[in-house]
Amino acid sequence: METATTKYDIPKYIAKIKMSAKKRILVEGPDDRAHIKNLLSVLLDKHNVKIDVAQNIKGNCKLTAKNCKARIEKIYNTCKLQNQYSNLYFLCDREFYKFEIGDNILDLMLTHENEGNLNWTLGHSLENYFLDPKIVCDAYRFLSGSEFKNQAVNLFEDIMPSAIKIIAALTLAAKDINKSSYPIGMVDWSDFEIKGNELILDVNNWKSENDTLLLKDLKNRYSYYLPIVDLADELTCARLSRGHTAIALLQRAFAKCISHCGEPIDSALAIRDANAFSKLKEISVSNALCEAWLRTINNGNENYPKNLIESVA
């Protein structure tokens, strides 16, 4: 019996597709599978679309052995333009595709694009569809039980543009040192500062007593990219930012807002509430963000992989 974690190698997976008429979408990871299944449930009343996960397909070369996106691209390139595979659709994380990064940042993919049955997310990954202030604040209101959350939400709406720019600069810095997830482990909510309506991550104060060579490299590249990112608009920065990094660091930025708003009233309680919010598991935060995103789609928002959904409808 086929399950969500059934393992195939690439040739066996392609052979399975050839023998089936069922519409399928191949995504990179299990979180993508869950989000797309929930999206289909909102947009298509009745559907029989199967969603497969590249993580559950064994790579058959050095490139595909550890890279889910490479598996999708290899399967697509094998199957494209052949009628027997026309029922198979693909969703790939855009990552840095069609971003030009120099003295400024240019986004060359202004709307959803696809090549045949291969579709790209509009932002770095599927989670980037969640990076809208209304969506994030809706999710955080649900997730936080702090008595300071209403003030924190209002402050967070003001500081979110600067938070997104910090995350975009960290995304580019982490790319340069080939450690995409490294910033998640290196930035705590207490590392942030709030001045007026701006969130600040000052490299001179940020873990200055614990600098390692790798952290120094990250800081140097962050300092290099921050003025470049400042020239870009917020939407471009939101699309460029690595999705998982954004979810983690926005969560900590909101924790900072809780602390900042509650400290004049009850410092100990504010710190406790900030710590509690910052320690929420990523899966819980991601699920709440997805649910808030789906509510906006149910109300007419079209910020989702529209080409893909229309193709399988």
Side-chain angles (χ1 to χ4, degrees), residues 104-123:
N104 202 337
I105 300 170
L106 297 177
D107 183 356
L108 304 180
M109 188 192 291
L110 299 180
T111 60
H112 284 98
E113 292 187 10
N114 61 285
E115 177 191 310
N117 284 10
L118 175 62
N119 298 263
W120 289 278
T121 56
L122 192 53

Side-chain angles (χ1 to χ4, degrees), residues 263-275:
E263 190 171 6
I265 302 167
D266 187 331
S267 178
L269 179 59
I271 291 172
R272 190 202 72 178
D273 287 355
N275 282 328

Side-chain angles (χ1 to χ4, degrees), residues 78-296:
T78 301
C79 298
K80 67 180 181 181
L81 303 179
Q82 299 186 57
N83 286 335
Q84 61 263 47
Y85 305 115
S86 62
N87 58 315
L88 178 59
Y89 297 84
F90 308 82
L91 181 64
C92 266
D93 287 351
R94 175 188 179 181
E95 297 181 353
F96 299 101
Y97 176 57
K98 285 199 172 183
F99 284 108
E100 281 191 2
I101 300 159
D103 294 334
N104 202 337
I105 300 170
L106 297 177
D107 183 356
L108 304 180
M109 188 192 291
L110 299 180
T111 60
H112 284 98
E113 292 187 10
N114 61 285
E115 177 191 310
N117 284 10
L118 175 62
N119 298 263
W120 289 278
T121 56
L122 192 53
H124 193 282
S125 61
L126 190 59
E127 287 79 8
N128 290 62
Y129 291 107
F130 306 159
L131 303 184
D132 174 277
K134 290 182 180 179
I135 291 171
V136 177
C137 290
D138 187 16
Y140 288 177
R141 283 185 185 278
F142 171 78
L143 289 166
S144 174
S146 173
E147 67 183 67
F148 310 118
K149 72 177 178 182
N150 290 323
Q151 303 98 303
V153 165
N154 292 334
L155 177 59
F156 182 82
E157 288 180 324
D158 291 335
I159 63 97
M160 186 170 167
S162 54
I164 288 291
K165 293 200 171 188
I166 289 171
I167 295 163
L170 286 170
T171 295
L172 292 170
K175 177 178 181 287
D176 281 4
I177 65 171
N178 200 29
K179 296 284 183 180
S180 62
S181 63
Y182 185 61
I184 294 175
M186 288 295 109
V187 182
D188 296 325
W189 71 262
S190 56
D191 292 317
F192 290 124
E193 301 171 49
I194 295 176
K195 294 183 179 179
N197 292 332
E198 187 175 4
L199 189 74
I200 296 169
L201 182 63
D202 186 342
V203 293
N204 296 315
N205 299 326
W206 170 26
K207 291 188 171 23
S208 57
E209 72 282 3
N210 296 320
D211 274 6
T212 62
L213 183 60
L214 190 59
L215 182 55
K216 286 179 181 177
D217 287 345
L218 181 71
K219 285 183 175 184
N220 287 337
R221 300 313 295 163
Y222 169 74
S223 297
Y224 170 78
Y225 282 116
L226 195 57
I228 295 172
V229 164
D230 277 338
L231 296 174
D233 63 82
E234 184 185 350
L235 181 59
T236 297
C237 292
R239 289 179 178 175
L240 174 70
S241 296
R242 180 176 178 266
H244 287 284
T245 301
I247 286 176
L249 297 192
L250 288 176
Q251 177 184 351
R252 292 167 203 173
F254 186 74
K256 181 66 179 182
C257 290
I258 292 173
S259 171
H260 185 84
C261 292
E263 190 171 6
I265 302 167
D266 187 331
S267 178
L269 179 59
I271 291 172
R272 190 202 72 178
D273 287 355
N275 282 328
F277 191 84
S278 71
K279 290 176 182 177
L280 291 172
K281 291 184 178 181
E282 183 186 348
I283 186 66
S284 299
V285 177
S286 184
N287 287 344
L289 288 166
C290 181
E291 189 61 27
W293 174 57
L294 294 174
R295 281 196 291 273
T296 68

Side-chain angles (χ1 to χ4, degrees), residues 35-62:
H35 296 326
I36 291 297
K37 281 198 78 169
N38 289 325
L39 178 63
L40 288 172
S41 296
V42 168
L43 292 172
L44 305 178
D45 288 337
K46 295 181 180 179
H47 71 87
N48 193 27
V49 181
K50 179 80 168 61
I51 302 174
D52 297 329
V53 178
Q55 186 175 305
N56 297 331
I57 300 172
K58 297 176 185 177
N60 59 354
C61 67
K62 188 175 181 179

